[in-house]
Amino acid sequence: MRAMMNVLIVRTSSMGDLIHTWPAITELKAHYPNFRISWLAEEGFADIARLHPSVDEVITLAWRRWRKSLFQRATWREMAALRHKLRDTRWELVVDCQGLLKSALPAKITRAPLTGYDKHSIREPLACLFYDKKHAVSWDLSAVERCRQLYGKVFGYQPQGAPVFGVPPGERPAWLAEGRYAVLLHATSKASKEWPEALWIALADRLCAEHGLTMVLPWGSAKEKQRAERLAAAMGQAVVAPRISLKEAAGLIGRAAAVVGVDTGLTHLANALNVPLAAIYTDTDPARTGVVETPWAVNLGHIGRCPSVDDVMQALQSRRDFA
């Protein structure tokens, strides 16, 4: 039996980017079951890395928090502990699949062989200066496929077939009443990516009347909670979720009868969990940033093109397992 080998994956943020890495992790472990896979991630997204069953250890950094308190002793202690952790482990290889200075710098601390995208395939070409080996991967590919191709080049295999995220659904939340439900992911980072509230309300009416579903509306900020409460009040048969962790979100989404979401990380989580999903895009190109289209998931809309309620209903009704 081959000895276990330590491999470090570096992708620190954000939620969607970490989820896009899952299929590459699934494939890597299938080719090399003797790899012990560790993942370096920002503490706020570490639960996403932990959800993948092939990840043996998640190492967290807290740059978003540290940079607000750089002159505090506790911050320097935490940074020193991370440095020792990265240096004290003997890594066979470190892969920076994020391609930013903020990922390349901590990856270099390991003093292990470090690889990543070449300067033509990366968002911040300066990061390439830290890599011992670089690989060309086309920008024309989706984020998921770019990551799969990078891993294939690094570890010497050719990715085959459709991507497999490899993450099981979590447990249904205890706070949610019995019955079938749809999760409406209404919140996103930019107003231009939002879907009009009137359309959310009209969609909820149809999902309730035609399929007997209760709407569940998650949120992440005070502003998003106000929007969720406003929408739920207009929908009637709807529940505003409590504040939930990313792990709890996986349970909520993974057990849903349907998910409809705008361009946000939780929409990509739904994509990975193989639930009936209509992903709505109004300000970005779904060919680049959309979900992986599968029998369960489909992209709707485009830059400057807003899908209708009929579009969403037809998309859901054509998805596997939606009834």
Side-chain angles (χ1 to χ4, degrees), residues 103-125:
S103 55
L105 285 168
K108 195 64 177 177
I109 291 173
T110 62
R111 295 189 292 195
L114 173 59
T115 187
Y117 296 104
D118 73 9
K119 65 180 181 180
H120 302 295
S121 311
I122 201 168
R123 283 183 284 175
E124 293 183 5

Side-chain angles (χ1 to χ4, degrees), residues 34-157:
N34 63 314
F35 279 7
R36 184 179 187 276
I37 299 174
S38 298
W39 192 330
L40 179 64
E42 180 73 31
E43 64 179 0
F45 302 106
D47 278 349
I48 293 295
R50 292 188 182 102
L51 284 172
H52 200 292
S54 293
V55 174
D56 297 284
E57 178 186 27
V58 177
I59 302 169
T60 60
L61 57 80
W63 180 242
R64 296 185 179 195
R65 175 167 55 82
W66 290 340
R67 65 188 180 187
K68 299 176 183 177
S69 57
L70 281 177
F71 300 105
Q72 294 184 13
R73 185 174 299 176
T75 296
W76 285 97
R77 281 200 298 265
E78 289 184 29
M79 293 171 70
L82 173 62
R83 180 176 179 274
H84 287 304
K85 172 66 178 176
L86 294 175
R87 287 214 168 165
D88 290 348
T89 303
R90 180 178 175 180
W91 307 104
E92 296 295 331
L93 192 63
V94 179
V95 183
D96 177 11
C97 49
Q98 189 157 15
L100 300 174
L101 286 172
K102 72 175 184 179
S103 55
L105 285 168
K108 195 64 177 177
I109 291 173
T110 62
R111 295 189 292 195
L114 173 59
T115 187
Y117 296 104
D118 73 9
K119 65 180 181 180
H120 302 295
S121 311
I122 201 168
R123 283 183 284 175
E124 293 183 5
L126 283 176
C128 293
L129 297 176
F130 297 91
Y131 302 156
D132 301 298
K133 193 168 184 180
K134 310 166 187 70
H135 300 276
V137 179
S138 173
W139 279 108
D140 293 333
L141 300 173
S142 69
V144 167
E145 287 303 320
R146 275 173 49 81
C147 197
R148 291 178 73 197
Q149 290 296 322
L150 176 64
Y151 280 41
K153 290 173 182 286
V154 170
F155 294 102
Y157 60 84

